[in-house]
Amino acid sequence: MYEELKGKKLLIIGADVNDMEIVRTAQAMGIHTIVVDWTTDYSKSPAKRLADEAWDMNYRDLDALEERCVREQVDGVMAGYSETRVLLAAQLCQRLGKPFYATDKIVEITRDKRSFKSLCRAHNVPIPEEYCATGTLTEEDLKSMRFPVIIKPADYGGHFGITICEDGTELNKAVEKALSCSENKKVVIEEYVTGIEMCSIYNISDGDIALAYVNDKYQVVESGKTTILCHATVTPSKHMQEYMETVDPHIKDFLRGIGARNGIAFFQMIAGEKGIRVFEMGYRLNGGNDQHTIEKYNHINHMKMLISCSLTGSMGDDIHKNNPDFGEYVAVYLAYVHGGTVGKVEYKARVGENDVIAITQKVFPGTVLTDNYTTQQEGVVIKFRAATLEEVARKMNEIRDGIVVESVTGEDMLFDRFDTRRLLE
């Protein structure tokens, strides 16, 4: 299917551990891979060791990057998990006259939470109640606010700068934190909806839109406090039918409304007492490497499709192969690690045993972590399959209990263990 891509040169903006998956996928397709970032310490940019070429230069310097792409006869440009890098890739492709799945204007819309929420309202996508409509907190906003609320930067991802406030005592501090992570110095303050967090993924090709899956996400509870991190996911969602009836048609209208023609989009939401409420989206790959799950059950790989689009302008496969009802469950357990220096990492799970599909180790002996409660603290991620939710819970217990992460002084660095009884509630 992708035979015509063999031998082409693909520039991948970014070289961190997540970008290694893009490099591996492209190389398996016979593509010559080039990764770029300014880091010369390749232990911090491991994709540079894996790629066919590595460029040590600032990818934000689009003039220099454009000149080198022309000189090296690069055929296409790709960016994966960072909204900033996706935006830069879109801008670079416009300069080079190369195809890219999105324009910079569409990327800007989807990465700006305020623009996103405004367009959701226009297309009847259900969203949480919003305070601070101007992006700047006013006395009127304070009077109308009902706690708990969630405060986040209007234009940043990766869970940076986000705080859940149960009352007004830490509100100003939370706003300052969000502003410090916002490029445009704007914040979003909205009702904190409790319930089961969810995620849906759509494949888009030549304007056609197909739902690939909907899952449930269970948040980390650490020291009795709910955080914004995801401890476990289960696909398909318990709320699939409700989602299809109340959210899916409006999401598709939204995507058509912003002019999405190709690519993938994911939406984050919570199913609570008031129904399903959508609060965020990404027009890019997400960090769960969901292309493997989608390929297993729907027989298409959206990472390969994005690579194809970067090199040819076509997604290269039939998105209507998608069926969000897999007929069984696929679950992911994410083990998070507290701040400190890692001394030992162990896990008993093995790919191919007990229905384990994939294992991604993100921390290693010598890794130094900071307690910032972001995705940077993911330690080991294990994906597996099961026939029933009861079986998901049993297998997740085995996987969870087999993971060990200790500091250089022998202390347990793992967050509180996930309570699998939550899966069966």
Side-chain angles (χ1 to χ4, degrees), residues 78-81 86 101-102 106-107 110 200-205 208-210 212-213 255 258 260-267 281-291 294 300-307 309 315 319 322:
M78 172 78 173
Y81 304 93
V86 169
Y101 70 88
I106 293 177
V107 175
T110 60
S200 60
I201 289 185
Y202 289 82
N203 295 141
I204 309 161
S205 178
D208 285 339
I209 304 166
Y213 81 37
L255 290 170
I258 66 172
R261 296 288 302 168
N262 292 296
I264 68 166
F266 64 89
F267 293 82
M281 77 165 293
Y283 196 24
R284 56 175 173 81
L285 294 169
N286 66 359
N289 285 329
D290 301 290
Q291 70 275 0
I294 293 170
I300 61 174
N301 183 306
H302 59 229
M303 184 176 284
K304 291 180 180 178
M305 295 171 76
L306 289 182
I307 290 170
C309 193
M315 295 290 280
I319 64 171
N322 277 309

Side-chain angles (χ1 to χ4, degrees), residues 50-62:
L50 185 64
D52 299 295
E53 284 186 54
W55 294 354
D56 299 332
M57 57 188 300
N58 186 347
Y59 52 64
R60 292 178 182 270
D61 186 348
L62 290 181

Side-chain angles (χ1 to χ4, degrees), residues 149-153 161-165 171 174-175 178 187-190:
V149 297
I150 186 167
I151 298 97
K152 47 194 172 184
I162 298 178
T163 306
I164 298 167
C165 288
L171 189 62
V175 170
V187 300
V188 170
I189 302 178
E190 61 191 20

Side-chain angles (χ1 to χ4, degrees), residues 83 113 150-153 156-163 177-178 181 197 217 219-220 227-231 266 268 279-280 284 334 336 372-378:
E83 291 171 341
K113 295 177 178 64
I150 186 167
I151 298 97
K152 47 194 172 184
Y156 208 91
H159 293 153
F160 286 92
I162 298 178
T163 306
K177 179 180 175 181
C181 294
E197 191 169 331
K217 304 172 69 175
Q219 292 162 290
V220 170
T227 76
I228 56 175
L229 299 175
C230 174
H231 224 159
F266 64 89
Q268 294 174 270
F279 61 85
E280 200 164 311
R284 56 175 173 81
L334 299 93
Y336 286 87
N372 55 17
Y373 286 83
T374 72
T375 52
Q376 290 180 346
Q377 289 180 252
E378 289 179 7

Side-chain angles (χ1 to χ4, degrees), residues 119-336:
L119 285 164
C120 281
R121 284 190 287 269
H123 293 278
N124 298 312
V125 176
I127 58 176
E129 184 176 350
E130 185 179 13
Y131 308 104
C132 190
T134 64
T136 304
L137 194 62
T138 66
E139 286 296 326
E140 188 174 334
D141 294 326
L142 288 170
K143 290 178 183 177
S144 66
M145 201 173 294
R146 292 190 295 274
F147 291 93
V149 297
I150 186 167
I151 298 97
K152 47 194 172 184
D155 51 6
Y156 208 91
H159 293 153
F160 286 92
I162 298 178
T163 306
I164 298 167
C165 288
E166 299 292 341
D167 53 44
T169 57
E170 294 190 352
L171 189 62
N172 289 334
K173 184 178 177 181
V175 170
E176 289 176 8
K177 179 180 175 181
L179 287 171
S180 71
C181 294
S182 171
E183 293 179 9
N184 296 321
K185 300 305 174 187
K186 296 289 184 181
V187 300
V188 170
I189 302 178
E190 61 191 20
E191 66 172 319
Y192 178 61
V193 181
T194 58
I196 296 178
E197 191 169 331
M198 300 168 61
C199 179
S200 60
I201 289 185
Y202 289 82
N203 295 141
I204 309 161
S205 178
D206 292 328
D208 285 339
I209 304 166
L211 176 63
Y213 81 37
V214 185
N215 71 14
D216 292 331
K217 304 172 69 175
Y218 295 83
Q219 292 162 290
V220 170
V221 177
E222 181 68 3
S223 301
K225 185 177 181 180
T226 300
T227 76
I228 56 175
L229 299 175
C230 174
H231 224 159
T233 70
V234 180
T235 310
S237 167
K238 294 178 183 178
H239 304 278
M240 172 78 77
Q241 188 62 39
E242 181 184 2
Y243 179 86
M244 296 300 295
E245 293 173 358
T246 64
V247 182
D248 175 71
H250 305 300
I251 291 287
K252 288 175 177 173
D253 284 344
F254 170 95
L255 290 170
R256 294 186 192 101
I258 66 172
R261 296 288 302 168
N262 292 296
I264 68 166
F266 64 89
F267 293 82
Q268 294 174 270
M269 62 211 85
I270 290 181
E273 293 181 355
K274 299 179 181 179
I276 298 172
R277 295 291 181 267
V278 179
F279 61 85
E280 200 164 311
M281 77 165 293
Y283 196 24
R284 56 175 173 81
L285 294 169
N286 66 359
N289 285 329
D290 301 290
Q291 70 275 0
H292 297 302
T293 302
I294 293 170
E295 185 172 36
K296 177 177 174 62
Y297 293 96
N298 292 340
H299 309 294
I300 61 174
N301 183 306
H302 59 229
M303 184 176 284
K304 291 180 180 178
M305 295 171 76
L306 289 182
I307 290 170
S308 171
C309 193
S310 290
L311 293 170
T312 68
S314 169
M315 295 290 280
D317 207 340
D318 180 8
I319 64 171
H320 297 293
K321 294 177 184 177
N322 277 309
N323 180 359
D325 185 0
F326 295 164
E328 63 179 1
Y329 292 97
V330 177
V332 177
Y333 181 72
L334 299 93
Y336 286 87

Side-chain angles (χ1 to χ4, degrees), residues 372-417:
N372 55 17
Y373 286 83
T374 72
T375 52
Q376 290 180 346
Q377 289 180 252
E378 289 179 7
V380 181
V381 182
I382 299 179
K383 183 179 294 186
F384 62 97
R385 58 181 289 276
T388 65
L389 280 177
E390 290 76 13
E391 189 178 3
V392 169
R394 179 179 61 78
K395 290 181 177 180
M396 193 172 289
N397 281 333
E398 294 172 1
I399 287 168
R400 177 199 64 194
D401 295 344
I403 299 174
V404 175
V405 181
E406 294 179 354
S407 69
V408 288
T409 55
E411 297 169 322
D412 181 15
M413 297 182 71
L414 289 170
F415 279 38
D416 292 347
R417 272 56 170 178

